[in-house]
């Protein structure tokens, strides 16, 4: 978490804070993430109601769209586990439909129906791996043969049902995208035109930061610094999925929180994937899917997902990117003072 905060501070340096310091800034913690809301320009004299509205909405999303909280998704999972169908809210039904679609497009690499695996590995806990040991091959195989995967749920208007008991739905790979999109809509509805929402390094820009574009640094997942910086267009989202923020180490092997639904094991070939996109939801799902895709598949999967700006860092720290991302990535200027 601390490391990700550095990105914003560095981004601030890159954006030349002296000239274009955002007019207002507010930070709070939600969904296990430090969220920062920045409002630039002089469009409001009193940012407090805007900040309060965003914080309240994101707290609600954390409750209702996190499987291990006590909101709607927990209720939905309980119903499915007991073999009942569930009448979802319009927001939940909409997000599940998008999740199903993104899962299909990714060939199952992104699959929010693998909550049981996330739980088995302990990644649902605030500190993953407190138990310290990975599950056994037998435990994983048993889950893979059971009721798992978003394909096992059906969605008819807002009625959610499953042909088996389960599966456990975990929207953790997409909830931050949803949250960032919702925050942007709230600000826009409140008359704010220039803002940035940063949910622990997953972010979306609206308008500009003073005279310049909003600019963010891309963190090096294997080092302290940044790989470069990107100037975001208005409305553009930058989402990163990585193995460096939530993981545990057992007998010198790093087990990070993105799981390959095909094997039931955490991804080990990829350190991070950063995706630029027009919407938080799609960029969030794509960054998770492309973590899973691996060295041979990530480019073709990115195309299938309609994601053209992608940067991938493999487990050894080698950096690769699409031509479009390369065209956007700027070197980090040396800060001398
Ligand atoms: P972050 O939350 O750090 O931005 P991601 O967006 O990649 O990272 O989300 C990772 C979370 O998504 C995990 O903590 C887990 O809850 C869930 N998850 C893990 N593997 C998958 C997967 N293959 N498909 C969908 N969700 C996943
Ligand atoms: Mg994601």
């Amino acid at each position: 978490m601390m490391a990700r905060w550095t990105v914003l501070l560095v981004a601030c340096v890159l954006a030349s804070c002296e000239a274009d310091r955002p007019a207002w800034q507010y930070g709070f913690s939600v969904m296990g993430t430090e969220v920062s809301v920045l409002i630039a320009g002089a469009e409001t004299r009193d940012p407090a109601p805007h900040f309060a509205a965003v914080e309240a909405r994101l707290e609600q999303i954390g409750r209702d769209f996190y499987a291990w909280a006590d909101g709607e998704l927990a209720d939905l999972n309980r119903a499915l586990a007991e073999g009942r169908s569930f009448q979802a809210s319009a927001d939940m039904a909409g997000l599940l439909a998008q999740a199903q679609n993104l899962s299909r497009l990714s060939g199952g690499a992104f699959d929010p129906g693998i909550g049981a695996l996330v739980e088995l590995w302990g990644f649902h806990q605030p500190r993953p791996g407190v138990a310290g040991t990975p599950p056994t091959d037998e435990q994983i195989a048993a889950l893979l043969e059971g009721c798992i995967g978003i394909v096992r749920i059906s969605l008819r208007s807002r009625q959610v049902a499953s042909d088996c008991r389960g599966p456990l739905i975990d929207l953790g790979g997409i909830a931050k995208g949803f949250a960032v999109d919702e925050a942007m809509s709230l600000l826009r509805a409140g008359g704010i035109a220039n803002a940035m929402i940063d949910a622990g390094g997953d972010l979306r820009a609206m308008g500009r930061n003073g005279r310049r574009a909003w600019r963010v640094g891309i963190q090096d997942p294997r080092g302290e610094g940044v790989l470069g910086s990107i100037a975001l267009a208005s409305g553009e989202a930058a989402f990163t999925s990585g193995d460096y923020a939530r993981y545990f180490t057992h007998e010198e092997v790093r087990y990070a929180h993105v799981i390959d639904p095909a094997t039931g094991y955490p991804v080990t070939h990829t350190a991070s994937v950063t995706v630029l996109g027009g919407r938080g939801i799609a960029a969030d799902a794509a960054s998770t899917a492309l973590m899973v895709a691996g060295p041979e598949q990530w480019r073709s999967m990115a195309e299938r997902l309609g994601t053209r700006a992608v940067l991938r860092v493999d487990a050894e720290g080698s950096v690769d990117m699409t031509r479009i991302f390369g065209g956007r990535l700027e070197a980090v200027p040396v800060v001398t003072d």
Side-chain angles (χ1 to χ4, degrees), residues 134-287:
T136 64
D137 293 351
E138 289 72 26
Q139 286 174 300
I140 293 163
L143 272 192
L144 286 177
E145 281 163 23
C147 181
I148 202 159
I150 192 111
V151 292
R152 305 300 295 264
I153 66 162
S154 67
L155 191 60
R156 258 181 216 95
S157 98
R158 282 157 56 182
Q159 194 75 16
V160 187
S162 175
D163 62 357
C164 55
R165 284 190 175 237
L168 204 165
I169 307 295
D170 167 16
L171 294 171
I174 204 175
K176 263 197 254 173
F178 178 59
V180 165
D181 289 346
E182 286 289 298
M184 273 294 149
S185 303
L186 268 180
L187 291 176
R188 197 175 291 125
I192 302 291
N194 299 286
M196 159 87 88
I197 309 279
D198 178 356
D202 288 335
L203 37 88
R204 191 161 172 201
M206 183 165 65
R208 294 166 71 77
N209 181 21
R211 286 175 289 118
R212 299 159 203 254
W214 290 103
R215 180 174 288 276
V216 294
I218 310 293
Q219 184 173 344
D220 179 352
R222 289 289 181 267
E224 288 294 305
V226 294
L227 297 169
S229 75
I230 298 269
L232 294 178
S234 184
E236 199 169 33
F239 272 67
T240 299
S241 186
D243 72 354
Y244 51 90
R246 283 178 73 74
Y247 67 92
F248 68 94
T249 308
H250 178 70
E251 292 176 352
E252 285 165 43
V253 179
R254 177 194 288 238
Y255 297 98
H257 69 149
V258 175
I259 295 174
D260 183 343
T263 64
Y265 283 82
V267 166
T268 54
H269 44 63
T270 308
S272 73
V273 173
T274 298
V275 165
L276 306 181
R279 284 188 323 137
I281 288 179
D284 196 358
S287 65

Side-chain angles (χ1 to χ4, degrees), residues 37 39 43-44 46-55 186-187 189-192:
V37 185
I39 299 178
E43 58 239 86
T44 179
D46 181 14
H50 301 286
F51 291 148
V54 169
E55 184 171 13
L186 268 180
L187 291 176
I192 302 291

Side-chain angles (χ1 to χ4, degrees), residues 44 68 79 99 104 138 298:
T44 179
W68 296 276
R104 250 193 311 272
E138 289 72 26
W298 72 271

Side-chain angles (χ1 to χ4, degrees), residues 21-34:
R21 190 186 294 277
W24 308 105
Q25 176 162 1
Y26 179 63
F28 56 94
S29 182
V30 68
M31 300 191 284
T33 302
E34 294 300 320

